[in-house]
Amino acid sequence: MQPIEKTSGDVGAHIAALCASAKAATRQLATADTATKNTALRAAARALRAASPELIAANEADIASLGDSKPASFIDRLRLDEGRVAALADALDAIADLPDPVGRELAHFDRPNGLDIRRVAVPIGVIAMIYESRPNVGADASALCIKSGNAIILRGGSESIRSTAAIVGCMQAGLVEAGLSPDCVQTVGTTDRSAVTELLHAVDHVDLVIPRGGRGLVELVRREARVPTLLHLDGNCHSYVHADADIDQAVRIIRNAKLRRTGVCGATESIVIDRAIAAQVLPALADALPDCELRGDSDAIAIEPRLSSASTEDWNTEYLDAIASVKLVDGLDAAIDFIAEHSSGHTDAILTRNADAARTFLVAIDSAVVMHNASTQFSDGGEFGMGAEIGIATGKMHARGPVGLEQLTSFKYLVHGDGQIRD
């Protein structure tokens, strides 16, 4: 689908039409059996593999349209290549292999009056996914919604509109092959920013909005949404090197957590180090991350002069680049206080051999994912065995952490009686 660049009235009509057709499609998808949904997913996976050259060409056109306006880390998040397209298709097959979340019995109880009551998982309905730059989100989100019985409207960033349209075409081909409506997966066909507001106000048709992007996008959703939202804040993630850490292991983990892919939300952005072992950790860290700019406080720079000076803004920054802030602290409590003040609530990790310190950290840190002796880049639905994820929810209601199939369902009560009436 090509973008339309018309008046706000045209955008409103466009969004209204998408929402109405998505709402109609939910009735079919909600009653589809597991075999039908899996057929759609596997057919879409085959379509993605077959269309790999076209997908890559569309993606290259997206990248070319940006010129030199974006940093390399942004382009990396946007880019598709043969390996990444294959990974998209593999994720669809993996989701097809997962148990169907719809119809799960969550509770079952009998009342003294003979009523038989069951709480069962059901689809949420129509989900609007608003995201930036990463076209793979469109495939993952679509697949998860198909399997969980939800229709989805994708509004990717303007920088990936061609890539998103090509991916949606493959998803729709899979749906049609399975005998399902292509309206179960749709994409907004305009780059006009008013389309986002229209989705956020579509209370009659959209059941849930999920934003995935930078703080600016999330704040816009918070401010404008009339539809319920599942927020995914930025990933200002911390790795804390405790005084009892295995230094070699800690440095190896931090290198991976920071540099494996700098543009993902689970990348470590801030490194917190116990002052007691800073003299051993900082030189090793600077040696291990020569391709990463480390910005430290004055005490850290005094120990390792290869660090540059951090400002107060650095402690709250999600760089999504080869940059990390470094803060020295006086022990576990100080580390917890610092992380609590600056973390975005996404993922934070402690690196230590001290089981008591790890236990305290895991309980005290109020983030969606808290890790011990592991790279924060494992904060990912695929790595958690979910097949894929729509994102990492950083709120505390309904879903938290990686959002996969189970998190894309609600529930209802099914009550069976035999003529009971209430006094």
Side-chain angles (χ1 to χ4, degrees):
M1 183 183 295
Q2 292 301 310
I4 58 172
E5 301 296 348
K6 298 186 179 180
T7 67
S8 59
D10 290 323
V11 172
H14 174 58
I15 297 301
L18 289 179
C19 290
S21 57
K23 194 72 170 181
T26 59
R27 291 191 287 272
Q28 182 194 46
L29 189 55
T31 57
D33 60 23
T34 302
T36 299
K37 293 186 288 187
N38 288 345
T39 295
L41 291 173
R42 297 192 191 284
R46 291 194 299 272
L48 284 170
R49 295 186 182 100
S52 182
E54 292 80 8
L55 290 172
I56 293 170
N59 183 250
E60 288 174 347
D62 281 333
I63 293 172
S65 71
L66 297 175
D68 298 325
S69 64
K70 299 293 183 180
S73 58
F74 183 96
I75 299 301
D76 177 66
R77 295 196 299 278
L78 175 59
R79 187 178 301 281
L80 292 175
D81 55 28
E82 289 185 5
R84 290 185 181 181
V85 173
L88 294 182
D90 290 345
L92 266 60
D93 284 331
I95 292 169
D97 289 336
L98 293 173
D100 192 333
V102 178
R104 288 174 298 126
E105 185 173 277
L106 306 176
H108 187 187
F109 46 95
D110 296 316
R111 299 296 298 148
N113 60 8
L115 289 179
D116 179 271
I117 303 175
R118 293 189 300 136
R119 185 166 69 240
V120 299
V122 297
I124 292 171
V126 176
I127 293 175
M129 183 78 192
I130 304 170
Y131 58 101
E132 298 171 335
S133 72
R134 296 178 63 182
N136 66 292
V137 173
D140 290 347
S142 298
L144 289 167
C145 282
I146 291 170
K147 186 65 179 268
S148 58
N150 298 290
I152 186 167
I153 300 171
L154 299 169
R155 205 293 186 178
S158 59
E159 67 280 350
S160 63
I161 191 166
R162 300 171 185 84
S163 306
T164 299
I167 288 170
V168 167
C170 293
M171 301 304 302
Q172 291 178 333
L175 288 163
V176 170
E177 185 170 331
L180 295 170
S181 170
D183 292 339
C184 295
V185 176
Q186 300 179 86
T187 182
V188 173
T190 176
T191 58
D192 192 312
R193 292 187 178 182
S194 66
V196 173
T197 302
E198 294 288 344
L199 282 172
L200 295 175
H201 292 178
V203 293
D204 291 333
H205 293 103
V206 176
D207 297 290
L208 181 68
V209 170
I210 302 177
R212 179 169 172 176
R215 185 168 291 272
L217 171 62
V218 174
E219 291 302 327
L220 169 67
V221 172
R222 274 180 166 165
R223 184 173 64 250
E224 292 288 339
R226 298 175 187 170
V227 175
T229 59
L230 185 60
L231 295 180
H232 297 239
L233 285 177
D234 52 334
N236 186 20
C237 304
H238 296 72
S239 288
Y240 165 49
V241 186
H242 180 254
D244 293 333
D246 178 321
I247 294 175
D248 290 340
Q249 181 188 78
V251 169
R252 181 170 59 85
I253 289 172
I254 289 173
R255 177 172 175 80
N256 178 269
K258 176 68 252 183
L259 295 180
R260 172 189 164 270
R261 286 191 67 185
T262 58
V264 299
C265 58
T268 284
E269 306 289 18
S270 185
I271 303 164
V272 183
I273 304 172
D274 255 335
R275 199 179 306 274
I277 58 168
Q280 292 78 48
V281 173
L282 281 168
L285 202 59
D287 288 342
L289 280 74
D291 39 0
C292 179
E293 180 185 351
L294 299 175
R295 299 177 181 176
D297 60 18
S298 58
D299 291 343
I301 294 172
I303 295 171
E304 178 46 75
R306 283 178 285 180
L307 274 60
S308 60
S309 180
S311 69
T312 55
E313 292 181 359
D314 282 298
W315 311 130
N316 299 306
T317 299
E318 181 188 29
Y319 300 107
L320 299 173
D321 205 347
I323 307 169
S325 62
V326 179
K327 177 68 175 178
L328 301 192
V329 295
D330 292 311
L332 177 62
D333 289 342
I336 291 171
D337 288 344
F338 178 82
I339 294 170
E341 181 179 357
H342 299 287
S343 173
S344 62
H346 187 294
T347 302
D348 298 298
I350 183 172
L351 310 177
T352 185
R353 295 170 295 183
N354 186 317
D356 290 336
R359 189 177 304 110
T360 298
F361 186 91
L362 294 174
V363 172
I365 294 297
D366 189 21
S367 294
V369 180
V370 190
M371 296 184 169
H372 174 211
N373 286 345
S375 168
T376 56
Q377 298 224 4
F378 281 111
S379 187
D380 174 87
E383 294 296 328
F384 280 30
M386 296 178 176
E389 65 176 36
I390 271 190
I392 307 291
T394 51
K396 298 183 182 181
M397 300 300 292
H398 170 64
R400 196 178 193 193
V403 176
L405 292 173
E406 291 186 14
Q407 292 76 24
L408 292 175
T409 60
S410 181
F411 59 81
K412 65 183 177 183
Y413 290 91
L414 304 181
V415 182
H416 294 278
D418 187 24
Q420 288 91 338
I421 61 174
R422 186 171 176 179
D423 294 334

